[in-house]
Amino acid sequence: MNAPVFASIAGRPEVSHAEMANAIRFLAIDAVEKAKSGHPGMPMGMADVATVLFTRFLKFDPADPAWPDRDRFVLSAGHGSMLLYALLHLTGYEGVTLDELKAFRQWGSKTPGHPEYGYTAGVETTTGPLGQGIATAVGMALAERLMHARFGGDFVDHFTYVIAGDGCLMEGLSHEAISLAGHLRLNRLIVLFDDNEISIDGATSLSCSDDQLLRFRASGWSASRIDGHDPAAVAAAIEQARHSDRPSLIACRTVIGFGAPNRQGTEKAHGAPLGADEIEKARDALSWPHAPFEVPHAVRDAWREAGSRGHEARRAWIERTRRPQSGERSAFHDALNRNLPCGYTDAMARIRSRFGSDQPNIATRQASQLVIDTIAEALPNLLGGSADLTHSNLTKAKTHRSVGSSAFAGNYVHYGVREHAMAAAMNGIALHGGFIPYGGTFLTFADYSRPAIRLAALMGVRVIHVMTHDSIGLGEDGPTHQPVEHLAALRAIPNLLVFRPGDAIETAEAWDCALRAKAGPSVLCLSRQGLPAFRNAADDTNRVALGAYVVVEPEGGRDVTLIATGSEVAIVMQAAKLLAADNVRAAVVSAPCFELFRRQSRDYRADVLGRAPRIGVEAAVEGEWARWLGDSGEFVGMTGFGASAPAEVLYRKFGITAEAVATRALQAIARSRMVAAV
């Protein structure tokens, strides 16, 4: 093996590539062994590749992990997290101490089982669900190209590197992601494939016979295969990829569990500690006679020198970006600032005022497009897109220009029929910084996007999903396209705001909430059919931000409270009028966001819900409604799938009408009075 040495400090013993790679291997081995849990095989196999990448190519500075022009490194094969933690520790990231490595997978440590964004310095994205890392990296690489087109190479000039395994490439998401990246020719994206031919069940030949190089080439990538244990070959391949005009796959043929004589090359090295006996044999085989967690000073110094290598590059970047005119410099930092500019507040106020005065009877997807048209110019970092449903989702502003392989100055991405890749790429765009991404599809296809939405919620990143055709109200397309369980499923995800606005004003307010939610993603569930306005005016109060609020409060107290979301608010408004004709006092509550309502004070929630019997109405399955309705409440909605018919027929056939709501309200009132009498 061609083994370079690292000896740039006078008087320090020469340190070989093998010694530096072995430091990674044995920190991983020892941490997994101490935890009695983890995955040592991948860090042992990819240590050579990672050593070359971090010592010769990766542009980073542990002193400033958030430096905007750093290279991004994504460990898509997140189960091999000790590879990353060892690298972060060895290169000098503050907080990733030796004690943290010893606390691998333990409560409160900075070294959880899979890398978590926002928790450990140097971790660019949460990974572990296979395929998510490589798809998120596509978004990072896209954001780099978009920012480069806007601000030039002095401000933005970096690469996105990924280590991915067989599992990442088997996941269907990977095909969506590599297809999108190849189409856009994201040449700053380099994937290092841990080509060890082993998965949990055994040899990959048990389940997969794909030619990955041909597959990537068919999607517009450059692709090559090398010996992943030959540092010279690794370096040459990375250098070539850095000059490619397209994204690159480097298949690194490695041995899983490299150095463990009885486990290397087998599935036994994948997901369990090696055991004391095998570890001792590995120490002998790799000439590493050091105690657990011990790294020789010379090796540690060589790694720290590699970690400091990017310090001058960062200082040069700071000096370079001080030279341009202040306007350009300000625009760059404004793009990275997660706060909304003053111009946005004025633009949102205008569209809310317009909706308040015009009282439009339009679909909330149409209202959403009017909002986007209004705020787009005030938010130059708003990046739109759709999964091949632009003209149905109505997500493209009049001022938006399409992004393409030779048009990175655009601000609208045509993601194609790739809902999952769109959601994951938007996570990467948000993580990279510089943009607020939003993307559209139908609500029923939230199932395709859900794993990436869940990760956005886990990471706490601002991503906005515009999901139209939100109920049986879409009509004739039938039950395959009519979402009934999706609202309940999305509401079950922690830290995800799910909005279902009931008219144009609520749509604007939902957008405002989503844009201001800097610590988590949002889903806007929007109607296909027109909805009448029920708010008389748009004042300065964003009522959607309360989660639920009283629209109609009858004089003299309540006999019943009617609660609805989205298109069903109009239905309960009509039901309240029918009840009023029978001298029944019905309050009407709009509840566009359960999650925000849950955050309000107990007293506020009690005032909104009242003491009278409650009727909940939503053209979906019941889900969380029971919490808000109480034991005496009634739910009017769906108990199964929809059907193919015009929307008005479906609402009538499934019993979601003003008359049905009024009848259920009278029944609930009667039961309540009987109980009170007893």
Side-chain angles (χ1 to χ4, degrees):
M1 182 186 296
N2 186 346
V5 296
F6 300 82
S8 59
I9 298 178
R12 188 189 70 194
E14 289 186 346
V15 176
S16 69
H17 164 90
E19 289 176 293
M20 296 186 75
N22 284 339
I24 297 172
R25 289 189 175 101
F26 283 97
L27 286 175
I29 289 170
D30 294 337
V32 171
E33 184 68 19
K34 188 173 189 301
K36 301 302 180 186
S37 174
H39 302 76
M42 192 281 272
M44 296 170 71
M46 285 296 281
D48 291 307
V49 174
T51 298
V52 172
L53 177 63
F54 271 70
T55 59
R56 302 199 213 176
F57 294 100
L58 195 72
K59 183 174 65 173
F60 69 106
D61 186 354
D64 186 2
W67 169 29
D69 200 36
R70 69 193 182 279
D71 288 341
R72 272 44 169 194
F73 172 70
V74 173
L75 185 66
S76 189
H79 57 274
S81 57
M82 269 308 306
L83 175 79
L84 179 54
Y85 299 148
L87 287 162
L88 296 177
H89 168 70
L90 290 167
T91 53
Y93 279 81
E94 185 177 357
V96 190
T97 63
L98 195 60
D99 285 340
E100 293 292 347
L101 300 191
K102 293 178 181 179
F104 178 54
R105 290 189 161 217
Q106 305 308 302
W107 178 268
S109 76
K110 297 295 184 184
T111 52
H114 292 82
E116 296 183 28
Y117 168 78
Y119 194 63
T120 307
V123 173
E124 299 284 4
T125 180
T126 299
T127 56
L130 294 178
Q132 290 291 333
I134 188 172
T136 302
V138 170
M140 294 177 178
L142 174 57
E144 189 276 339
R145 290 289 81 191
L146 295 169
M147 290 287 282
H148 179 89
R150 285 157 177 74
F151 300 106
D154 280 349
F155 284 88
V156 184
D157 184 20
H158 55 264
F159 288 84
T160 300
Y161 295 95
V162 181
I163 286 182
D166 285 291
C168 294
L169 301 191
M170 288 185 195
E171 288 286 354
L173 170 59
S174 74
H175 177 73
E176 295 183 27
I178 68 172
S179 175
L180 179 62
H183 170 73
L184 292 173
R185 298 179 78 87
L186 300 178
N187 65 313
R188 292 303 185 94
L189 176 62
I190 299 173
V191 174
L192 299 159
F193 168 32
D194 182 16
D195 186 14
N196 60 32
E197 300 184 301
I198 293 293
S199 63
I200 293 175
D201 280 356
T204 55
S205 59
L206 290 170
S207 61
C208 186
S209 55
D210 297 354
D211 186 324
Q212 296 293 359
L213 271 64
L214 289 179
R215 176 186 170 215
F216 274 75
R217 288 169 184 159
S219 291
W221 290 53
S222 65
S224 61
R225 176 170 279 114
I226 60 168
D227 178 353
H229 298 297
D230 180 347
V234 174
I238 294 175
E239 184 63 34
Q240 183 176 3
R242 285 166 58 89
H243 293 91
S244 176
D245 63 351
R246 59 191 65 200
S248 297
L249 173 77
I250 303 172
C252 305
R253 182 54 57 83
T254 61
V255 177
I256 190 171
F258 181 87
N262 297 310
R263 295 209 179 176
Q264 65 178 6
T266 74
E267 69 275 12
K268 294 179 181 179
H270 172 76
L274 297 180
D277 182 62
E278 186 72 1
I279 291 174
E280 286 307 309
K281 291 177 180 176
R283 292 187 195 281
D284 289 341
L286 294 175
S287 301
W288 189 263
H290 311 292
F293 296 103
E294 180 183 324
V295 177
H297 290 299
V299 176
R300 186 176 296 276
D301 288 345
W303 268 114
R304 290 298 162 89
E305 183 183 347
S308 65
R309 183 172 50 84
H311 183 65
E312 287 304 315
R314 181 173 65 87
R315 288 179 59 86
W317 178 85
I318 292 171
E319 291 300 319
R320 189 167 64 247
T321 56
R322 283 176 177 167
R323 290 198 298 267
Q325 295 298 316
S326 59
E328 183 181 357
R329 190 165 62 246
S330 296
F332 176 75
H333 289 290
D334 285 346
L336 295 177
N337 191 337
R338 297 199 303 162
N339 295 325
L340 301 172
C342 295
Y344 161 77
T345 302
D346 294 339
M348 181 57 73
R350 286 198 306 273
I351 191 64
R352 291 177 74 248
S353 177
R354 174 183 168 185
F355 287 157
S357 60
D358 291 354
Q359 296 283 284
N361 186 331
I362 57 176
T364 51
R365 62 173 177 154
Q366 293 174 296
S368 173
Q369 182 174 42
L370 293 173
V371 172
I372 295 169
D373 279 338
T374 303
I375 65 175
E377 291 192 46
L379 285 176
N381 62 336
L382 189 65
L383 182 68
S386 175
D388 201 50
L389 288 169
T390 294
H391 302 296
S392 293
N393 300 146
L394 304 181
T395 42
K396 189 175 183 182
K398 294 176 181 176
T399 56
H400 275 167
R401 293 173 293 159
S402 295
V403 170
S405 61
S406 58
F408 287 114
N411 43 19
Y412 190 85
V413 183
H414 295 276
Y415 288 102
V417 188
R418 305 184 185 98
E419 294 89 356
H420 199 173
M422 175 179 71
M426 288 197 297
N427 289 350
I429 292 166
L431 289 164
H432 177 278
F435 298 96
I436 303 172
Y438 72 89
T441 187
F442 290 166
L443 180 56
T444 193
F445 301 143
D447 291 338
Y448 291 146
S449 307
R450 183 181 173 88
I453 295 173
R454 181 178 184 271
L455 277 186
L458 178 61
M459 292 187 286
V461 293
R462 178 172 51 187
V463 174
I464 301 172
H465 296 269
V466 179
M467 294 191 171
T468 67
H469 296 59
D470 69 340
S471 73
I472 60 172
L474 69 87
E476 293 85 346
D477 273 350
T480 60
H481 283 54
Q482 292 166 8
V484 292
E485 77 277 24
H486 299 76
L487 288 167
L490 290 168
R491 286 169 179 157
I493 299 176
N495 197 39
L496 173 66
L497 298 180
V498 181
F499 296 94
R500 191 166 184 248
D503 69 356
I505 291 177
E506 282 199 348
T507 303
E509 291 178 345
W511 261 107
D512 188 49
C513 289
L515 287 165
R516 294 183 185 278
K518 293 183 287 186
S522 301
V523 179
L524 306 182
C525 305
L526 307 176
S527 74
R528 176 179 184 264
Q529 72 272 35
L531 305 180
F534 57 83
R535 293 265 291 277
N536 292 326
D539 56 25
D540 292 335
T541 303
N542 184 329
R543 288 177 170 78
V544 169
L546 299 171
Y549 62 97
V550 179
V551 178
V552 175
E553 186 71 80
E555 294 184 4
R558 302 182 188 183
D559 296 316
V560 68
T561 299
L562 309 180
I563 311 169
T565 75
S567 47
E568 287 71 72
V569 176
I571 290 175
V572 300
M573 293 285 285
Q574 184 61 32
K577 294 178 181 178
L578 294 176
L579 291 167
D582 288 335
N583 295 317
V584 175
R585 297 167 300 183
V588 173
V589 171
S590 175
C593 184
F594 286 2
E595 294 75 24
L596 290 178
F597 189 50
R598 196 182 302 120
R599 297 177 189 177
Q600 305 308 311
S601 70
R602 186 184 298 271
D603 288 344
Y604 175 79
R605 296 199 305 266
D607 287 344
V608 170
L609 297 174
R611 295 180 176 272
R614 303 165 193 164
I615 310 297
V617 186
E618 187 172 69
V621 298
E622 185 172 5
E624 193 184 344
W625 274 96
R627 171 174 182 171
W628 310 118
L629 300 180
D631 290 341
S632 62
E634 293 279 346
F635 178 71
V636 177
M638 299 294 292
T639 58
F641 295 106
S644 181
E648 61 274 14
V649 174
L650 293 170
Y651 273 88
R652 186 173 68 253
K653 293 292 187 181
F654 286 112
I656 308 174
T657 64
E659 292 77 11
V661 172
T663 298
R664 296 284 285 275
L666 292 172
Q667 293 170 349
I669 293 168
R671 282 196 305 274
S672 176
R673 289 173 177 170
M674 288 178 61
V675 171
V678 173

